[in-house]
Structures are given as C-alpha cells and as structure tokens.
Amino acid sequence: MYLTQPLHRAAQQTPDTPFTVYGESSTTARETYDVVSRIAGSLRDLGVTKDDRVGLLSLNTDRFCQIVLGGAWADAVIVPVNTRWSVKEIAYSLEEADVAVLFVDDPFTGLIDELRAQAPKLRAVVHCGDGEQPDAALPWADLLAADPVDDAHRQGDALAGIFYTGGTTGVPKGVMLGHRQICTAAMGMMMVQSQVPHGGAAILVAPAFHMAGFGAWVAGMLANMTTVPLPAFDPVLVMRSIAEQGAKQVLLVPTMIQMIVDHPEAGKHDLSSLELLIYGASPISEAVLGRARDVFTSARFLQAYGMTELSPATSFLIDEDHDDPVLRRSAGRAAPYARVRIVDPLDEEVPRGTVGEIVAAGDHVMLGYWKKPEETAEAVRDGWMHTGDGGYMDERGYVYVVDRIKDMIISGGENVYSVEVENAVAKHASVAQVAVIGVPDEQWGERVHAVVGLIPGATLTLGELREFCKQEIAGYKCPRSLEIVANFPMSAAGKILKRELRETAGGGT
C-alpha cells in the first residue's frame, strides 16, 4: 500500500466523482490525477529527485492533499510544517530535513523572506494559495503548466513523510514514517470496526500537518470518501459542512467536540448523515462524551489512542464498548496490526492491573527520528515504541491511560493521576474545561491544582469543587487549589499545554 494508490483506484473506477471539495471548488478524481501528475512533473523540473524533501506550510486545503500526493508521485518525501510554529521553529525543521522546495499557503506568504534567510538550503518556494502572488515565490499556475509524469509508485518502507513533533519542549524531532506505516494504521482503523462507512464525504478539520488529521485523511481516501478540507476549526462551519455535504466521517479532538456540543447552534443542523466520529489526541471526559452522543445521535464513536510515532494509533475503543461505563474510560484494545504491553522501568511486562509504561510494536512503529539515532534508540527498544504514557491493562486487554509519566503528581507520597481528577472535575455542572497539574507545595511536595474554564455565567469555589470531587474520588486526589481561566494554551493538535500552565500557575485559591 502507498499514499497515491487510492487516487489511482478512484481515477480508474469513479473518475467523475469529487475527490476533494474545498469551499465552492469541487475537483474530480480524474482532475486530481492530472493535477497531481503535473505537480510531480514540476517538482522534477525544479530538480527534485528520489528521496528529496518537499516542505508544505499550509492550512487544510484541497491543494494540501494534492501536494502531498504529488510529492509521493515524484518519489520525494513530504515535510508538513506545523502552522502554529514560530519562524525560528519552522526554519529549524526545514534546515534539519534539508527541504529543497517549500509550498506556502496564503496566510504564510509574509514569512517567505525570513524563511529563506534562516533556511538557506531552500532551492525554491512555491505559492499554493489564491491570494496576491508574492515576488519571492513561484506561482501555482506554473506548476499546473508542467508536463505530467508517471507515478514513481513509492511504497513500503520508503519514507513517505517527516512529521515534526515537539517544539513546545526542547528541540523538535522529525518522526520518519513510511508508506507502509501510514497505510497500515489507516487500514487497521477500518478493520477494527464492525460497521465501516464507505463513499460519501469525510470532513478534514483536524490540522493535516499533524498525524491524527493526516491519518484520518488517508483512511477516508482508502474508504472511497470525498475529502472536504476545512482550513480552520469553527463549530458552526463543521456542523454546516456535515449537513451540506452529507458527511459520513469526521475526526475531532476532545476540545473541538466540546465546543461543538456546547454551542447554541448544536441542535440546529442536520447531523444525521454522520456515521463515524473518530476522536483522540487527548483524553475526553465522560461528561463531554455523554453530551456528544446526545448531539451526534446517528454516529458511531471510535477512540484512537497513540502518537505520531505510531502512525498515529495503536489501540482503538470501538463504538460498542462506549456503552459500558467502565470500558469507556479506557483507550480500547490493541489494533489488528499492533502489540501492546505495559512494562516496568526494566522493560519487563507487569501483571494486569498494574500501572507501568505503555509500549507498542508492529508495522505502524516509526522508522526513527530524522538525524537523531540516539533518541531513536532510546524510544524504540527491541522493536517496542516507548510512549511515555503511564497506564494499565485489564484481563481482557483493554488499556487504561492514567497519565503522561511526566505528568503524574506525587502528593504526600501518593501517586495521583491527573486524568482521573480531570474526569471528576469535568462532571461539575459549572465546568466547561479542565486541566489538572501538580504544583510545588511545602507540605505535600506537590499539590493537585485544577485549572478550570467555566460555562458562561457560572461560578465555582475551591470548597465547592472539593466537596463535589469527594463524591467521585479519594480525598487526597481532590484539588487543593483552583485557578479559573478564560482560555487555555493549546497545541495545534488541540492538546492543552500543561507545561505552560505549570509555568504560569500562580497557586490559585
């Protein structure tokens, strides 16, 4: 399997069916085939050869999809850039990956001169937007004027992309994923379900530079779906797009789900076409999950657990398991292509029910970190990817993620897992969003500190919250301080940045 394979099939079997719909523009499989082959021809004209890296700084658009496929068609490696990074971080990834050609979307054309100065290895920059043509970049029309070339059919363990992860702490790492790894994970996501949507439309709203969004896009292509990219998340736009396109599939991170189900227009759009709602990237509270199932009444829910290094998923919680109040707190069971274990610091498997580190092995494990052999050797040992997540496994193989190992709070000698506390706090009627962290405390070593966003018009005191949480969890796990915020620092993948919360935590009340 390889990334361009679904396009070949669509062009052969359903050539006049839309392959992408972006805004008012609909592009058929036949038209996409032609565009992709010309992008590849243009890359060849620009001197791109086998294994060269092609960068892509773009929002979710139809051209994002076309450029990724065009890069693979040209036997090159795609490097999607985190659109929320600073110029310095972007330039670092471009330089480290030796990117030869960079595609730049409209919102980022103002960065071209700085990027050229800080990433001198760039041979060419291409403008892939519809806005004013920058002088420092080649126009999109020039690419489409190139002669088409044949697909290189790059496949197997040949590198498909370098997906940079991190950047919020330390130096970003380029995760190397081959065509086999990405397609294995995408196909496995479909295999694990008892009912799989086919055809129709798939909404692509999670950032496609991130493997969660990228993987969902590939899965949609494999299921003969028309991709409907949305350049940015907006609750109303997502609901309207599902209704207008009759969409069958969407991937949302929990923060997106919460913003949709709590929006005043949640009941005003016809969402009945949606057959599959995939979620992941961060834990979801039971309270939000319950509200989501009330809004997306026709959708089957699928939780995917993993990380970029796992292409990106290694376990799934299928829809049927969501009906069990115990199982829906889990991250599901190992995917058909994966092996999952819980190990101690010596990499020995621990007994069922014992907390340790979650590790995974299989064809979805990354090829390594780009130019970082020591970090690769530390992360992947004897074929097992060490996730850095703490968790346990029950007797039936369900994995329960209790915390990032580095996020575990040790208060008064007791281990407190922030996810468990967050689930309890989230059930309070006044709470819209919550993150729990450990902050230094002279008496307890660390104390449990809750950072909370309230629903409009609500109030909450520490005393009220503690009394409420004592009904759900042990007293030593209950928050000992409370901080109420209007907004949370978020990563591009929709994760709350706890590192920033720790840096700014003022002790609360």
Side-chain angles (χ1 to χ4, degrees), residues 9-67:
R9 183 183 57 181
Q12 181 184 72
Q13 299 176 6
T14 54
D16 297 318
T17 297
F19 196 77
T20 57
V21 173
Y22 180 65
E24 300 300 317
S25 176
S26 176
T27 309
T28 68
R30 189 197 314 273
E31 292 166 336
T32 303
Y33 186 100
D34 180 66
V35 169
V36 167
S37 64
R38 292 178 186 277
I39 290 172
S42 176
L43 289 173
R44 297 274 179 85
D45 293 342
L46 291 171
V48 172
T49 58
K50 179 181 174 65
D51 296 331
D52 279 353
R53 270 72 64 198
V54 174
L56 178 53
L57 178 57
S58 172
L59 302 177
N60 290 359
T61 68
D62 51 354
R63 291 177 184 173
F64 181 104
C65 302
Q66 294 161 2
I67 293 164

Short mmCIF file of all heavy atoms in Angstrom, two decimals, residues 9-67:
data_model
loop_
_atom_site.label_atom_id
_atom_site.label_comp_id
_atom_site.label_asym_id
_atom_site.label_seq_id
_atom_site.Cartn_x
_atom_site.Cartn_y
_atom_site.Cartn_z
N ARG A 9 -7.02 4.22 -7.94
CA ARG A 9 -8.25 3.45 -7.93
C ARG A 9 -9.45 4.34 -8.25
O ARG A 9 -10.32 3.97 -9.05
CB ARG A 9 -8.45 2.78 -6.57
CG ARG A 9 -9.70 1.89 -6.50
CD ARG A 9 -9.88 1.32 -5.11
NE ARG A 9 -9.96 2.38 -4.11
CZ ARG A 9 -10.09 2.16 -2.81
NH1 ARG A 9 -10.12 0.92 -2.36
NH2 ARG A 9 -10.16 3.15 -1.97
N ALA A 10 -9.49 5.53 -7.61
CA ALA A 10 -10.61 6.43 -7.85
C ALA A 10 -10.65 6.91 -9.30
O ALA A 10 -11.72 6.98 -9.92
CB ALA A 10 -10.51 7.63 -6.91
N ALA A 11 -9.46 7.22 -9.86
CA ALA A 11 -9.42 7.69 -11.25
C ALA A 11 -9.84 6.58 -12.22
O ALA A 11 -10.41 6.86 -13.28
CB ALA A 11 -8.01 8.17 -11.58
N GLN A 12 -9.60 5.36 -11.86
CA GLN A 12 -9.98 4.23 -12.71
C GLN A 12 -11.46 3.86 -12.56
O GLN A 12 -12.15 3.57 -13.55
CB GLN A 12 -9.12 3.02 -12.36
CG GLN A 12 -9.40 1.78 -13.21
CD GLN A 12 -8.60 0.59 -12.75
OE1 GLN A 12 -8.86 0.00 -11.68
NE2 GLN A 12 -7.57 0.24 -13.53
N GLN A 13 -11.95 3.88 -11.33
CA GLN A 13 -13.29 3.34 -11.06
C GLN A 13 -14.38 4.41 -10.99
O GLN A 13 -15.51 4.16 -11.40
CB GLN A 13 -13.26 2.54 -9.76
CG GLN A 13 -12.31 1.35 -9.81
CD GLN A 13 -12.22 0.62 -8.48
OE1 GLN A 13 -12.96 0.91 -7.54
NE2 GLN A 13 -11.32 -0.35 -8.40
N THR A 14 -14.07 5.56 -10.43
CA THR A 14 -15.07 6.64 -10.28
C THR A 14 -14.45 7.97 -10.69
O THR A 14 -14.35 8.89 -9.86
CB THR A 14 -15.58 6.70 -8.82
OG1 THR A 14 -14.44 6.84 -7.93
CG2 THR A 14 -16.35 5.45 -8.45
N PRO A 15 -14.03 8.10 -11.94
CA PRO A 15 -13.25 9.28 -12.35
C PRO A 15 -13.98 10.60 -12.22
O PRO A 15 -13.33 11.64 -12.04
CB PRO A 15 -12.90 8.98 -13.81
CG PRO A 15 -13.94 8.02 -14.26
CD PRO A 15 -14.25 7.17 -13.07
N ASP A 16 -15.30 10.59 -12.29
CA ASP A 16 -16.05 11.84 -12.26
C ASP A 16 -16.65 12.15 -10.90
O ASP A 16 -17.40 13.11 -10.74
CB ASP A 16 -17.15 11.81 -13.32
CG ASP A 16 -16.58 11.70 -14.73
OD1 ASP A 16 -15.57 12.39 -15.01
OD2 ASP A 16 -17.10 10.92 -15.53
N THR A 17 -16.32 11.34 -9.90
CA THR A 17 -16.75 11.60 -8.53
C THR A 17 -15.79 12.60 -7.89
O THR A 17 -14.57 12.50 -8.08
CB THR A 17 -16.75 10.29 -7.72
OG1 THR A 17 -17.70 9.40 -8.30
CG2 THR A 17 -17.11 10.55 -6.27
N PRO A 18 -16.29 13.57 -7.12
CA PRO A 18 -15.39 14.52 -6.47
C PRO A 18 -14.38 13.82 -5.57
O PRO A 18 -14.75 12.98 -4.74
CB PRO A 18 -16.33 15.40 -5.65
CG PRO A 18 -17.65 15.32 -6.36
CD PRO A 18 -17.71 13.91 -6.88
N PHE A 19 -13.11 14.13 -5.74
CA PHE A 19 -12.06 13.62 -4.88
C PHE A 19 -11.86 14.54 -3.69
O PHE A 19 -11.60 14.10 -2.58
CB PHE A 19 -10.76 13.47 -5.68
CG PHE A 19 -9.73 12.61 -5.01
CD1 PHE A 19 -9.83 11.23 -5.03
CD2 PHE A 19 -8.62 13.19 -4.39
CE1 PHE A 19 -8.87 10.42 -4.42
CE2 PHE A 19 -7.66 12.39 -3.77
CZ PHE A 19 -7.79 11.01 -3.79
N THR A 20 -12.00 15.85 -3.95
CA THR A 20 -11.98 16.86 -2.88
C THR A 20 -13.05 17.90 -3.14
O THR A 20 -13.40 18.18 -4.30
CB THR A 20 -10.61 17.57 -2.78
OG1 THR A 20 -10.30 18.17 -4.06
CG2 THR A 20 -9.49 16.62 -2.39
N VAL A 21 -13.57 18.47 -2.06
CA VAL A 21 -14.45 19.63 -2.13
C VAL A 21 -13.91 20.64 -1.15
O VAL A 21 -13.84 20.38 0.05
CB VAL A 21 -15.91 19.27 -1.79
CG1 VAL A 21 -16.76 20.53 -1.71
CG2 VAL A 21 -16.49 18.30 -2.82
N TYR A 22 -13.52 21.81 -1.67
CA TYR A 22 -12.95 22.85 -0.82
C TYR A 22 -13.67 24.15 -1.11
O TYR A 22 -13.54 24.70 -2.21
CB TYR A 22 -11.45 23.00 -1.08
CG TYR A 22 -10.80 24.07 -0.21
CD1 TYR A 22 -10.73 23.91 1.17
CD2 TYR A 22 -10.27 25.21 -0.78
CE1 TYR A 22 -10.16 24.87 1.97
CE2 TYR A 22 -9.67 26.18 0.02
CZ TYR A 22 -9.62 26.02 1.39
OH TYR A 22 -9.05 26.97 2.18
N GLY A 23 -14.44 24.63 -0.15
CA GLY A 23 -15.24 25.83 -0.39
C GLY A 23 -16.21 25.57 -1.53
O GLY A 23 -16.98 24.62 -1.52
N GLU A 24 -16.13 26.42 -2.54
CA GLU A 24 -17.01 26.27 -3.70
C GLU A 24 -16.37 25.42 -4.80
O GLU A 24 -16.97 25.20 -5.84
CB GLU A 24 -17.35 27.66 -4.28
CG GLU A 24 -18.05 28.59 -3.30
CD GLU A 24 -19.37 28.01 -2.84
OE1 GLU A 24 -20.11 27.47 -3.69
OE2 GLU A 24 -19.68 28.11 -1.63
N SER A 25 -15.15 24.97 -4.57
CA SER A 25 -14.40 24.23 -5.59
C SER A 25 -14.51 22.73 -5.39
O SER A 25 -14.21 22.20 -4.31
CB SER A 25 -12.93 24.64 -5.56
OG SER A 25 -12.17 23.89 -6.48
N SER A 26 -14.94 22.03 -6.43
CA SER A 26 -15.02 20.57 -6.41
C SER A 26 -14.09 20.02 -7.49
O SER A 26 -14.16 20.45 -8.65
CB SER A 26 -16.46 20.11 -6.66
OG SER A 26 -16.53 18.70 -6.73
N THR A 27 -13.22 19.10 -7.13
CA THR A 27 -12.24 18.54 -8.06
C THR A 27 -12.45 17.03 -8.15
O THR A 27 -12.38 16.33 -7.13
CB THR A 27 -10.81 18.83 -7.60
OG1 THR A 27 -10.66 20.23 -7.33
CG2 THR A 27 -9.80 18.43 -8.67
N THR A 28 -12.71 16.52 -9.34
CA THR A 28 -12.96 15.09 -9.52
C THR A 28 -11.68 14.29 -9.39
O THR A 28 -10.56 14.84 -9.40
CB THR A 28 -13.58 14.82 -10.89
OG1 THR A 28 -12.60 15.10 -11.90
CG2 THR A 28 -14.83 15.65 -11.12
N ALA A 29 -11.84 12.97 -9.32
CA ALA A 29 -10.68 12.09 -9.27
C ALA A 29 -9.85 12.22 -10.54
O ALA A 29 -8.62 12.23 -10.49
CB ALA A 29 -11.13 10.65 -9.06
N ARG A 30 -10.53 12.33 -11.68
CA ARG A 30 -9.81 12.49 -12.95
C ARG A 30 -8.99 13.78 -12.96
O ARG A 30 -7.82 13.79 -13.35
CB ARG A 30 -10.82 12.51 -14.11
CG ARG A 30 -10.18 12.45 -15.50
CD ARG A 30 -11.17 12.91 -16.58
NE ARG A 30 -12.48 12.33 -16.44
CZ ARG A 30 -12.86 11.14 -16.96
NH1 ARG A 30 -11.99 10.42 -17.63
NH2 ARG A 30 -14.10 10.70 -16.80
N GLU A 31 -9.60 14.86 -12.51
CA GLU A 31 -8.90 16.15 -12.47
C GLU A 31 -7.75 16.13 -11.46
O GLU A 31 -6.67 16.68 -11.71
CB GLU A 31 -9.89 17.26 -12.12
CG GLU A 31 -10.92 17.52 -13.21
CD GLU A 31 -12.07 18.37 -12.72
OE1 GLU A 31 -12.34 18.40 -11.50
OE2 GLU A 31 -12.75 19.00 -13.58
N THR A 32 -7.99 15.49 -10.31
CA THR A 32 -6.94 15.40 -9.29
C THR A 32 -5.75 14.61 -9.81
O THR A 32 -4.59 14.98 -9.57
CB THR A 32 -7.49 14.75 -8.02
OG1 THR A 32 -8.62 15.50 -7.55
CG2 THR A 32 -6.44 14.70 -6.92
N TYR A 33 -6.02 13.52 -10.51
CA TYR A 33 -4.95 12.71 -11.12
C TYR A 33 -4.07 13.58 -12.01
O TYR A 33 -2.84 13.51 -11.96
CB TYR A 33 -5.59 11.57 -11.92
CG TYR A 33 -4.62 10.55 -12.48
CD1 TYR A 33 -4.44 9.33 -11.84
CD2 TYR A 33 -3.91 10.80 -13.65
CE1 TYR A 33 -3.56 8.38 -12.36
CE2 TYR A 33 -3.04 9.86 -14.18
CZ TYR A 33 -2.87 8.65 -13.52
OH TYR A 33 -2.00 7.72 -14.04
N ASP A 34 -4.71 14.41 -12.82
CA ASP A 34 -3.95 15.27 -13.73
C ASP A 34 -3.13 16.30 -12.96
O ASP A 34 -1.94 16.51 -13.25
CB ASP A 34 -4.91 15.98 -14.70
CG ASP A 34 -4.19 16.88 -15.68
OD1 ASP A 34 -3.43 16.36 -16.52
OD2 ASP A 34 -4.36 18.11 -15.59
N VAL A 35 -3.76 16.94 -11.95
CA VAL A 35 -3.06 17.96 -11.16
C VAL A 35 -1.87 17.35 -10.44
O VAL A 35 -0.75 17.90 -10.45
CB VAL A 35 -4.02 18.62 -10.15
CG1 VAL A 35 -3.24 19.48 -9.15
CG2 VAL A 35 -5.06 19.48 -10.87
N VAL A 36 -2.07 16.20 -9.81
CA VAL A 36 -1.00 15.55 -9.04
C VAL A 36 0.17 15.17 -9.95
O VAL A 36 1.34 15.37 -9.60
CB VAL A 36 -1.56 14.32 -8.29
CG1 VAL A 36 -0.43 13.45 -7.75
CG2 VAL A 36 -2.47 14.77 -7.16
N SER A 37 -0.13 14.64 -11.12
CA SER A 37 0.94 14.25 -12.04
C SER A 37 1.71 15.46 -12.55
O SER A 37 2.92 15.38 -12.81
CB SER A 37 0.38 13.45 -13.22
OG SER A 37 -0.50 14.24 -14.01
N ARG A 38 1.04 16.61 -12.67
CA ARG A 38 1.73 17.84 -13.09
C ARG A 38 2.55 18.44 -11.95
O ARG A 38 3.63 19.01 -12.18
CB ARG A 38 0.72 18.85 -13.62
CG ARG A 38 0.08 18.41 -14.95
CD ARG A 38 -0.95 19.42 -15.45
NE ARG A 38 -1.65 18.90 -16.62
CZ ARG A 38 -1.17 19.00 -17.87
NH1 ARG A 38 -0.01 19.61 -18.09
NH2 ARG A 38 -1.85 18.49 -18.88
N ILE A 39 2.04 18.34 -10.72
CA ILE A 39 2.85 18.79 -9.58
C ILE A 39 4.15 17.98 -9.53
O ILE A 39 5.24 18.54 -9.34
CB ILE A 39 2.06 18.61 -8.26
CG1 ILE A 39 0.90 19.62 -8.18
CG2 ILE A 39 2.98 18.79 -7.05
CD1 ILE A 39 -0.03 19.39 -7.02
N ALA A 40 4.03 16.67 -9.72
CA ALA A 40 5.23 15.83 -9.73
C ALA A 40 6.17 16.22 -10.86
O ALA A 40 7.40 16.29 -10.68
CB ALA A 40 4.82 14.36 -9.87
N GLY A 41 5.59 16.52 -12.04
CA GLY A 41 6.42 16.96 -13.17
C GLY A 41 7.12 18.26 -12.86
O GLY A 41 8.31 18.45 -13.20
N SER A 42 6.42 19.18 -12.22
CA SER A 42 7.02 20.45 -11.85
C SER A 42 8.15 20.27 -10.84
O SER A 42 9.19 20.92 -10.93
CB SER A 42 5.95 21.39 -11.29
OG SER A 42 6.51 22.60 -10.85
N LEU A 43 7.94 19.37 -9.88
CA LEU A 43 9.00 19.11 -8.90
C LEU A 43 10.24 18.55 -9.59
O LEU A 43 11.37 18.93 -9.24
CB LEU A 43 8.50 18.14 -7.83
CG LEU A 43 7.47 18.70 -6.84
CD1 LEU A 43 6.91 17.61 -5.94
CD2 LEU A 43 8.08 19.82 -6.00
N ARG A 44 10.03 17.70 -10.55
CA ARG A 44 11.17 17.19 -11.32
C ARG A 44 11.90 18.34 -12.03
O ARG A 44 13.14 18.39 -12.04
CB ARG A 44 10.69 16.18 -12.35
CG ARG A 44 10.06 14.92 -11.75
CD ARG A 44 11.09 13.86 -11.42
NE ARG A 44 10.45 12.68 -10.83
CZ ARG A 44 9.92 11.69 -11.54
NH1 ARG A 44 9.94 11.75 -12.88
NH2 ARG A 44 9.38 10.66 -10.94
N ASP A 45 11.10 19.26 -12.61
CA ASP A 45 11.70 20.41 -13.30
C ASP A 45 12.50 21.28 -12.33
O ASP A 45 13.47 21.95 -12.74
CB ASP A 45 10.62 21.25 -13.97
CG ASP A 45 9.94 20.53 -15.13
OD1 ASP A 45 10.52 19.54 -15.62
OD2 ASP A 45 8.83 20.95 -15.52
N LEU A 46 12.09 21.30 -11.06
CA LEU A 46 12.78 22.10 -10.05
C LEU A 46 13.98 21.36 -9.46
O LEU A 46 14.62 21.85 -8.53
CB LEU A 46 11.81 22.49 -8.93
CG LEU A 46 10.72 23.49 -9.31
CD1 LEU A 46 9.70 23.64 -8.17
CD2 LEU A 46 11.34 24.85 -9.63
N GLY A 47 14.28 20.19 -9.99
CA GLY A 47 15.46 19.46 -9.57
C GLY A 47 15.23 18.47 -8.44
O GLY A 47 16.19 17.91 -7.89
N VAL A 48 13.96 18.24 -8.09
CA VAL A 48 13.66 17.28 -7.02
C VAL A 48 13.84 15.87 -7.55
O VAL A 48 13.25 15.49 -8.58
CB VAL A 48 12.22 17.47 -6.50
CG1 VAL A 48 11.84 16.35 -5.53
CG2 VAL A 48 12.09 18.83 -5.82
N THR A 49 14.64 15.09 -6.87
CA THR A 49 14.91 13.70 -7.27
C THR A 49 14.51 12.76 -6.13
O THR A 49 14.03 13.19 -5.09
CB THR A 49 16.38 13.51 -7.65
OG1 THR A 49 17.21 13.86 -6.51
CG2 THR A 49 16.76 14.41 -8.82
N LYS A 50 14.75 11.49 -6.35
CA LYS A 50 14.37 10.46 -5.39
C LYS A 50 14.85 10.79 -3.98
O LYS A 50 16.02 11.13 -3.79
CB LYS A 50 14.94 9.11 -5.83
CG LYS A 50 14.65 7.93 -4.92
CD LYS A 50 15.29 6.67 -5.49
CE LYS A 50 15.15 5.50 -4.54
NZ LYS A 50 13.76 5.09 -4.36
N ASP A 51 13.94 10.73 -3.02
CA ASP A 51 14.20 10.92 -1.59
C ASP A 51 14.41 12.37 -1.18
O ASP A 51 14.63 12.64 0.02
CB ASP A 51 15.40 10.09 -1.11
CG ASP A 51 15.17 8.60 -1.23
OD1 ASP A 51 14.00 8.17 -1.13
OD2 ASP A 51 16.16 7.86 -1.42
N ASP A 52 14.36 13.33 -2.12
CA ASP A 52 14.45 14.73 -1.72
C ASP A 52 13.23 15.11 -0.88
O ASP A 52 12.16 14.53 -1.00
CB ASP A 52 14.52 15.64 -2.95
CG ASP A 52 15.91 15.72 -3.54
OD1 ASP A 52 16.85 15.17 -2.93
OD2 ASP A 52 16.07 16.34 -4.61
N ARG A 53 13.42 16.12 -0.02
CA ARG A 53 12.34 16.54 0.87
C ARG A 53 11.63 17.78 0.31
O ARG A 53 12.27 18.73 -0.13
CB ARG A 53 12.87 16.84 2.27
CG ARG A 53 12.87 15.64 3.19
CD ARG A 53 13.93 14.63 2.84
NE ARG A 53 15.27 15.20 3.00
CZ ARG A 53 16.37 14.69 2.45
NH1 ARG A 53 16.30 13.62 1.67
NH2 ARG A 53 17.54 15.25 2.66
N VAL A 54 10.29 17.71 0.38
CA VAL A 54 9.43 18.80 -0.09
C VAL A 54 8.61 19.29 1.10
O VAL A 54 7.86 18.52 1.70
CB VAL A 54 8.50 18.32 -1.22
CG1 VAL A 54 7.51 19.42 -1.61
CG2 VAL A 54 9.31 17.88 -2.43
N GLY A 55 8.75 20.56 1.45
CA GLY A 55 8.04 21.12 2.60
C GLY A 55 6.69 21.68 2.21
O GLY A 55 6.45 22.08 1.07
N LEU A 56 5.78 21.72 3.18
CA LEU A 56 4.42 22.19 2.94
C LEU A 56 3.93 22.97 4.14
O LEU A 56 3.68 22.40 5.21
CB LEU A 56 3.51 21.00 2.65
CG LEU A 56 2.03 21.26 2.41
CD1 LEU A 56 1.82 22.31 1.34
CD2 LEU A 56 1.33 19.96 2.01
N LEU A 57 3.84 24.30 3.98
CA LEU A 57 3.36 25.19 5.04
C LEU A 57 1.98 25.69 4.62
O LEU A 57 1.85 26.67 3.90
CB LEU A 57 4.34 26.35 5.22
CG LEU A 57 3.99 27.43 6.25
CD1 LEU A 57 3.78 26.84 7.64
CD2 LEU A 57 5.08 28.51 6.29
N SER A 58 0.95 24.97 5.05
CA SER A 58 -0.38 25.23 4.52
C SER A 58 -1.46 24.82 5.51
O SER A 58 -1.27 23.87 6.30
CB SER A 58 -0.58 24.45 3.20
OG SER A 58 -1.92 24.53 2.75
N LEU A 59 -2.58 25.51 5.45
CA LEU A 59 -3.77 25.08 6.16
C LEU A 59 -4.37 23.88 5.42
O LEU A 59 -3.87 23.46 4.38
CB LEU A 59 -4.79 26.22 6.22
CG LEU A 59 -4.32 27.52 6.88
CD1 LEU A 59 -5.40 28.59 6.80
CD2 LEU A 59 -3.92 27.28 8.33
N ASN A 60 -5.44 23.31 5.97
CA ASN A 60 -6.13 22.22 5.29
C ASN A 60 -6.84 22.78 4.05
O ASN A 60 -7.78 23.57 4.17
CB ASN A 60 -7.19 21.60 6.20
CG ASN A 60 -6.60 20.82 7.35
OD1 ASN A 60 -5.39 20.72 7.49
ND2 ASN A 60 -7.46 20.25 8.18
N THR A 61 -6.38 22.38 2.89
CA THR A 61 -7.00 22.79 1.63
C THR A 61 -6.96 21.61 0.67
O THR A 61 -6.29 20.60 0.92
CB THR A 61 -6.25 23.98 0.99
OG1 THR A 61 -4.96 23.53 0.56
CG2 THR A 61 -6.10 25.15 1.96
N ASP A 62 -7.65 21.76 -0.47
CA ASP A 62 -7.55 20.72 -1.50
C ASP A 62 -6.13 20.64 -2.04
O ASP A 62 -5.63 19.56 -2.36
CB ASP A 62 -8.56 20.97 -2.62
CG ASP A 62 -8.50 22.39 -3.19
OD1 ASP A 62 -7.75 23.24 -2.66
OD2 ASP A 62 -9.23 22.64 -4.16
N ARG A 63 -5.45 21.78 -2.10
CA ARG A 63 -4.09 21.77 -2.62
C ARG A 63 -3.12 21.10 -1.66
O ARG A 63 -2.11 20.51 -2.09
CB ARG A 63 -3.64 23.20 -2.95
CG ARG A 63 -4.40 23.76 -4.15
CD ARG A 63 -4.03 25.18 -4.47
NE ARG A 63 -4.86 25.68 -5.57
CZ ARG A 63 -4.88 26.93 -6.00
NH1 ARG A 63 -4.09 27.84 -5.42
NH2 ARG A 63 -5.67 27.29 -6.99
N PHE A 64 -3.38 21.17 -0.36
CA PHE A 64 -2.57 20.42 0.60
C PHE A 64 -2.57 18.95 0.21
O PHE A 64 -1.51 18.30 0.12
CB PHE A 64 -3.11 20.60 2.02
CG PHE A 64 -2.32 19.88 3.09
CD1 PHE A 64 -1.47 20.59 3.92
CD2 PHE A 64 -2.42 18.51 3.27
CE1 PHE A 64 -0.72 19.94 4.91
CE2 PHE A 64 -1.68 17.84 4.24
CZ PHE A 64 -0.84 18.56 5.06
N CYS A 65 -3.76 18.41 -0.03
CA CYS A 65 -3.88 16.99 -0.40
C CYS A 65 -3.17 16.71 -1.72
O CYS A 65 -2.45 15.70 -1.86
CB CYS A 65 -5.36 16.61 -0.53
SG CYS A 65 -6.33 16.89 0.98
N GLN A 66 -3.33 17.60 -2.68
CA GLN A 66 -2.71 17.39 -3.99
C GLN A 66 -1.19 17.44 -3.92
O GLN A 66 -0.50 16.65 -4.58
CB GLN A 66 -3.23 18.46 -4.97
CG GLN A 66 -4.71 18.32 -5.28
CD GLN A 66 -5.32 19.58 -5.85
OE1 GLN A 66 -4.62 20.59 -6.07
NE2 GLN A 66 -6.62 19.56 -6.11
N ILE A 67 -0.66 18.33 -3.09
CA ILE A 67 0.80 18.47 -2.98
C ILE A 67 1.40 17.24 -2.29
O ILE A 67 2.47 16.75 -2.70
CB ILE A 67 1.16 19.76 -2.23
CG1 ILE A 67 0.77 20.98 -3.08
CG2 ILE A 67 2.65 19.80 -1.88
CD1 ILE A 67 0.71 22.28 -2.31
#
